[in-house]
Amino acid sequence: MVDQILAGGATSLVNLVIHALVMGALVHLVLGMAGRGTGAPEFMRYTVVIVTTGAVLYAAHFAEILLWAYTYAAVGAAPPGTDLVYFAFSNYTTLGYGDILPVDHWRLLAPMTALNGIMLIGWSTA
């Protein structure tokens, strides 16, 4: 169980760092845009900020999901032939169809992925 906690904890920690960097950059960008008058209507500036923020956060979450997929591959957490990105996406978003189950030794990684996803999606929403 210690190896599962170490692998899942390390992946979660790296994802937290990724998310903190992306969120920090977005906050810096948005605050910088708030003080500038571009001549464009205010609602258009807000639209650009919202769409850009959403796209960047989506890309960040996708990168974090890819990191989980890489972790699954590195430790052999899924049965052979599993689409690891799909498996990681399902766990990260807590969708959890249950059509793919981790191998017994690495079962703890699935709920750790879900916890990490809930935290980071919630952070993005906040």
Side-chain angles (χ1 to χ4, degrees):
M1 181 192 317
V2 173
D3 53 352
Q4 295 178 75
I5 293 170
L6 290 174
T11 304
S12 292
L13 183 60
V14 171
N15 277 344
L16 285 169
V17 170
I18 291 169
H19 217 75
L21 291 170
V22 169
M23 292 295 286
L26 283 170
V27 168
H28 180 73
L29 176 70
V30 169
L31 291 176
M33 289 180 74
R36 283 188 251 167
T38 62
E42 190 173 34
F43 78 92
M44 285 303 292
R45 284 188 294 147
Y46 288 141
T47 300
V48 169
V49 167
I50 290 167
V51 170
T52 301
T53 299
V56 169
L57 287 173
Y58 191 90
H61 285 292
F62 192 73
E64 293 154 5
I65 289 164
L66 291 177
L67 181 60
W68 277 108
Y70 175 78
T71 300
Y72 295 164
V75 300
T82 298
D83 180 346
L84 296 177
V85 175
Y86 167 78
F87 184 43
F89 231 118
S90 180
N91 288 326
Y92 186 90
T93 60
T94 71
L95 182 59
Y97 279 131
D99 54 341
I100 302 171
L101 299 174
V103 297
D104 284 344
H105 180 74
W106 292 101
R107 287 177 51 182
L108 191 56
L109 285 185
M112 289 180 83
T113 305
L115 178 60
N116 187 235
I118 289 170
M119 286 175 43
L120 298 180
I121 292 168
W123 186 6
S124 293
T125 304

